[in-house]
């Protein structure tokens, strides 16, 4: 400690004693919020050890070192990951200051031994610096955007930082975050996982960072010390264009488990199964990336439920590869995408579903007319319901090439109108037809007729991913909205912190599901386990009130 620092410390102590009659260390010890619950610590340690990411991190670290020289490490990568997860579980987030408080005041010698942390004589400031250095070492081996983050870069510095982008390091942190999320999902017992049919909903949420948003013009000086952060706007594609309301940050893309059918919410908890991270608005292939990661868990390839941002992408970046993988879709449309979207032989693709071509025009344009306020919602719904007799009947699921076989509706069950002459005709059709993945129609094709009861029910389950993302940011849970609970700067740190929040959320949801399940099995409130122990130091069994000894009558 320098003379200036010692003078400052003495001044602090005098202030504290004169004002509160307490030492500053005693009050800091109180801010540590007491001992860390051993159950949470053990769970965090067990989780990181089960994730199997440490061997790969050690391999990356060894490959990056030129020699064994350098400052001695008191905290290794395992302890960093455990401490970040632990503090998210406790509601404190990845805040360096609070983790330093825990290391100094809340974790005892036995806890530090479990973490393999070298316990040497030190103070809180030492722990703070050690944890910062250890975190920086971990981030460095998987940071795709390395560069200085202690000042705002000028145009030349920013250009140099962009040139240092590492696809290899992006693949590393993607793998690590995927491994952590998948490990949390695999905590789900097999009997619950076996009920899952593979339906997944995907959505993105803003992860704000401190400071002003960076300018969109790359030739300008950065406005934020985190040069890798982007600009977010609420409207449109979320890519900030320079408005004063834009926010600095990234987007976390998540995939969440969805029930097999609407209302079947008691089968298993809706967990986050996959994540990706990017600048706001830079969503190209991110949805594909999330679903591809989700599929590595081994579940069936079910429905993909998304909002208009995803089906507005190019088919080759989302719909085509996922349909070839066996997925079908549920999504909405923009105004100009309604109505007739494609045709194949004597079929029309209308609002994502195949119909015979003899359907009246007012039925074809029903939802487009509603979108453009030409008719009411009730009128559009009535016309849409009238499409049912014209609908092709799917036979099974799409095949390995994405082709789908359909059966024609019976002639005579619908009023056939020639689209050219607008006159009534007697259609002659085959019994069935196989429809290939047409280039134009693939972008809009989905599982259920638009706004049918099945569509509404399944589209409603998209709220599961929205609710999941909202819970991540809730101050009662992981509080990802709170910038102060994420101390580090840069893409890699924010990605890791957001992933740990997702992991913490999954573990909490699994525990809560167990509690709800047990309460349901008990038919109401659970009976508290007895705490009294017998001579063998084992908990005494709960006694059924009906079998208790009664006084003589």
């Amino acid at each position: 400690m320098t003379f200036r620092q010692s003078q400052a410390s003495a001044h602090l102590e005098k202030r504290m004693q004169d004002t509160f009659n307490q030492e500053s260390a005693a009050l800091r010890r109180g801010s540590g919020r007491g001992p860390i619950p051993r159950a949470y610590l053990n769970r965090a340690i067990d989780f990181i050890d089960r994730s199997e990411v440490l061997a790969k991190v050690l391999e990356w670290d060894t490959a990056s070192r030129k020699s064994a020289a350098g400052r001695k490490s008191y905290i290794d990568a395992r302890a960093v990951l455990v401490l970040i997860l632990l503090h998210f579980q406790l509601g404190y987030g990845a805040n360096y200051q609070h983790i330093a408080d825990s290391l100094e005041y809340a974790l005892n010698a036995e806890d530090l031994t479990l973490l393999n942390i070298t316990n040497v004589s030190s103070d809180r400031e030492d722990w703070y610096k050690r944890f910062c250095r250890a975190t920086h070492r971990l981030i460095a081996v998987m940071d795709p955007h390395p560069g200085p983050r202690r000042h705002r870069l000028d145009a030349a510095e920013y250009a140099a930082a962009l040139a240092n982008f590492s696809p290899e390091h992006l693949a590393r942190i993607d793998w690590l975050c995927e491994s952590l999320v998948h490990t949390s999902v695999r905590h789900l017992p097999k009997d619950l996982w076996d009920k899952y049919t593979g339906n997944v909903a995907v959505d993105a949420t803003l992860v704000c960072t401190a400071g002003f948003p960076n300018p969109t013009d790359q030739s300008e000086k950065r406005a934020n010390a985190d040069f890798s952060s982007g600009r977010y706007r609420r409207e449109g594609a979320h890519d900030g264009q320079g408005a004063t309301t834009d926010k600095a940050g990234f987007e976390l893309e998540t995939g969440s488990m969805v029930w097999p059918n609407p209302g079947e919410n008691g089968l298993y908890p809706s967990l986050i199964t996959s994540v990706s991270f990017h600048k706001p608005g830079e969503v190209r292939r991110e949805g594909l990336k999330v679903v591809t990661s989700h599929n590595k868990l081994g579940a069936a390839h079910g429905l993909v439920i998304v909002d208009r941002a995803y089906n507005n992408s190019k088919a080759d970046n989302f719909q085509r590869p996922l349909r070839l993988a066996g997925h079908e879709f549920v999504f909405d449309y923009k105004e100009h995408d309604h109505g007739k979207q494609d045709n194949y032989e004597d079929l029309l693709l209308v609002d994502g579903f195949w119909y015979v071509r003899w359907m009246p025009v007012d039925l074809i344009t029903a939802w487009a007319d509603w979108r453009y306020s030409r008719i009411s919602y009730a009128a559009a719904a009535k016309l849409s319901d009238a499409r049912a007799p014209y609908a092709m009947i799917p036979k099974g699921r799409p095949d390995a090439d994405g082709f789908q076989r359909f059966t024609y509706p019976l002639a005579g069950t619908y009023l056939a109108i020639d689209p050219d002459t607008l006159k009534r005709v007697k259609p002659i059709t085959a019994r069935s037809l196989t429809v290939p993945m047409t280039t134009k129609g693939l972008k809009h094709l989905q599982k259920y007729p638009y706004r049918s009861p099945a569509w509404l029910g399944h589209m409603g389950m998209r709220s599961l991913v929205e609710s999941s993302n909202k819970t991540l940011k809730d101050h009662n849970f992981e509080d990802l909205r709170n910038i102060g609970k994420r101390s580090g700067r840069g893409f890699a740190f924010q990605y890791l912190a957001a992933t740990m929040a997702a992991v913490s959320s999954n573990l909490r949801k699994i525990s809560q599901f167990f509690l709800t399940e047990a309460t349901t099995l008990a038919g109401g409130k659970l009976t508290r386990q007895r705490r009294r122990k017998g001579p063998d130091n084992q908990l005494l069994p709960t006694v059924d009130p009906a079998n208790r000894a009664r006084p003589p009558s």
Side-chain angles (χ1 to χ4, degrees):
M1 181 181 291
T2 65
F3 176 74
R4 183 175 180 179
Q5 289 172 328
S6 64
Q7 289 287 92
S9 296
H11 177 73
L12 170 63
E13 291 305 321
K14 185 175 186 306
R15 291 280 203 196
M16 298 297 289
Q17 288 286 359
D18 292 347
T19 306
F20 302 113
N21 195 31
Q22 293 287 340
E23 295 179 356
S24 62
L27 292 177
R28 278 198 176 276
R29 192 173 298 113
S31 71
R33 308 189 190 186
I36 298 291
R38 179 59 63 82
Y40 278 87
L41 177 60
N42 287 340
R43 183 164 74 169
I45 290 173
D46 176 69
F47 177 87
I48 296 301
D49 289 345
R50 287 172 61 175
S51 71
E52 300 181 351
V53 300
L54 296 172
K56 186 63 71 173
V57 170
L58 179 60
E59 177 187 318
W60 296 337
D61 183 63
T62 302
S64 67
R65 290 181 178 272
K66 296 180 180 178
S67 70
R71 187 194 297 266
K72 183 180 179 181
S73 173
Y74 293 93
I75 302 175
D76 61 15
R78 173 178 178 266
V80 170
L81 294 172
V82 169
L83 288 169
I84 292 176
L85 174 57
L86 172 66
H87 282 74
F88 265 114
Q89 290 182 293
L90 296 173
Y92 308 150
N95 180 278
Y96 293 170
Q97 298 285 356
H98 199 97
I99 292 175
D101 284 339
S102 295
L103 287 166
E104 174 67 8
Y105 306 121
L107 293 167
N108 58 37
E110 186 178 350
D111 296 333
L112 296 179
T113 300
L114 289 172
L115 289 166
N116 293 330
I117 292 177
T118 305
N119 189 10
V120 295
S121 179
S122 56
D123 59 19
R124 180 193 172 281
E125 186 66 17
D126 292 328
W127 285 121
Y128 173 79
K129 292 178 179 178
R130 289 168 187 164
F131 185 78
C132 287
R133 287 194 297 267
T135 304
H136 295 162
R137 281 195 304 271
L138 171 63
I139 293 299
V141 300
M142 54 184 180
D143 186 359
H145 300 282
R149 294 191 179 90
R150 297 196 174 189
H151 68 280
R152 291 176 294 144
L153 305 188
D154 60 29
E157 291 173 316
Y158 182 53
L162 290 177
N164 286 334
F165 170 72
S166 170
E168 178 186 0
H169 281 51
L170 178 60
R172 286 180 177 184
I173 193 165
D174 278 339
W175 175 86
L176 182 134
C177 291
E178 175 183 86
S179 298
L180 292 173
V181 171
H182 284 188
T183 299
S184 69
V185 176
R186 291 189 176 109
H187 276 64
L188 198 64
K190 185 177 183 302
D191 65 300
L192 298 180
W193 177 253
D194 287 345
K195 298 176 183 178
Y196 178 52
T197 56
N199 294 345
V200 60
V202 181
D203 200 12
T205 189
L206 171 65
V207 178
C208 281
T209 56
F212 295 103
N214 285 312
T216 56
D217 188 345
Q218 295 189 4
S219 66
E220 294 182 19
K221 181 178 180 178
R222 298 296 89 189
N224 195 302
D226 184 354
F227 65 87
S228 60
S229 67
R231 299 183 73 98
Y232 176 90
R233 60 173 174 142
R234 183 77 181 99
E235 302 78 19
H238 306 317
D239 50 339
Q241 300 296 311
T244 56
T245 53
D246 289 351
K247 298 178 180 180
F250 301 92
E251 279 191 304
L252 172 69
E253 205 106 3
T254 64
S256 290
M257 295 167 62
V258 173
W259 325 129
N261 295 292
E264 295 181 337
N265 57 340
L267 296 178
Y268 45 76
S270 176
L271 305 180
I272 295 172
T273 57
S274 51
V275 295
S276 74
F277 208 66
H278 54 84
K279 286 184 178 180
E282 296 186 2
V283 298
R284 182 176 178 270
R285 300 185 75 85
E286 292 296 332
L288 173 62
K289 183 177 178 180
V290 166
V291 180
T292 302
S293 173
H294 164 88
N295 288 342
K296 294 178 183 178
L297 285 164
H301 294 187
L303 293 172
V304 176
I305 306 172
V306 293
D307 63 16
R308 289 179 291 183
Y310 296 89
N311 68 303
N312 195 46
S313 61
K314 292 183 178 179
D316 287 341
N317 293 335
F318 188 66
Q319 292 92 334
R320 184 181 300 278
L322 291 183
R323 187 169 175 86
L324 288 173
H327 291 284
E328 293 182 271
F329 303 95
V330 179
F331 41 50
D332 206 342
Y333 302 110
K334 293 186 176 181
E335 290 87 346
H336 61 269
D337 287 328
H338 278 290
K340 178 184 173 182
Q341 297 159 328
D342 199 3
N343 62 277
Y344 179 73
E345 295 194 7
D346 56 352
L347 305 185
L348 296 179
L349 185 69
V350 178
D351 292 332
F353 204 81
W354 289 106
Y355 298 89
V356 293
R357 67 189 292 265
W358 298 285
M359 190 161 65
V361 174
D362 58 341
L363 273 59
I364 295 173
T365 63
W367 291 113
D369 290 340
W370 169 67
R371 287 285 191 180
Y372 287 107
S373 303
R374 292 191 283 261
I375 60 176
S376 67
Y377 182 91
K382 185 176 181 179
L383 291 169
S384 182
D385 290 343
R387 293 174 177 175
Y390 301 88
M392 297 293 286
I393 304 165
K395 298 182 68 174
R397 293 171 56 85
D399 62 23
D401 297 317
F403 286 42
Q404 173 75 63
R405 191 158 186 81
F406 291 90
T407 299
Y408 280 88
L410 291 175
T413 61
Y414 54 87
L415 180 65
I417 303 297
D418 188 307
D420 299 322
T421 65
L422 301 182
K423 293 182 179 180
R424 185 171 179 177
V425 296
K426 292 184 178 180
I428 300 175
T429 65
R431 295 187 63 181
S432 63
L433 178 68
T434 298
V435 180
M437 287 202 304
T438 59
T439 303
K440 184 179 178 182
L442 179 60
K443 181 182 175 72
H444 305 292
L445 195 62
Q446 56 178 319
K447 174 76 170 176
Y448 302 109
Y450 184 69
R451 292 195 176 268
S452 65
W455 185 94
L456 290 169
H458 285 82
M459 191 63 179
M461 292 193 290
R462 195 177 74 85
S463 64
L464 288 170
V465 69
E466 293 176 324
S467 175
S468 175
N469 289 342
K470 183 179 179 181
T471 300
L472 280 179
K473 301 166 88 168
D474 193 305
H475 71 278
N476 291 314
F477 301 111
E478 283 66 40
D479 204 6
L480 197 58
R481 177 183 285 108
N482 190 338
I483 298 170
K485 291 187 176 180
R486 289 174 279 111
S487 300
R489 291 175 180 164
F491 174 91
F493 176 85
Q494 297 293 335
Y495 191 179
L496 177 61
T499 298
M500 284 301 197
V503 167
S504 172
S505 177
N506 279 353
L507 297 178
R508 176 173 45 76
K509 287 178 180 178
I510 292 172
S511 297
Q512 183 60 44
F513 185 87
F514 292 166
L515 178 61
T516 302
E517 182 183 49
T519 302
T520 302
L521 291 172
K525 187 176 180 181
L526 289 176
T527 302
R528 190 178 70 178
Q529 293 291 324
R530 299 187 72 184
R531 298 180 182 178
R532 183 174 294 176
K533 296 181 179 180
D536 58 355
N537 203 34
Q538 299 296 314
L539 291 173
L540 293 173
T542 301
V543 178
D544 189 334
N547 296 330
R548 287 178 181 166
R550 298 180 180 178
S553 57

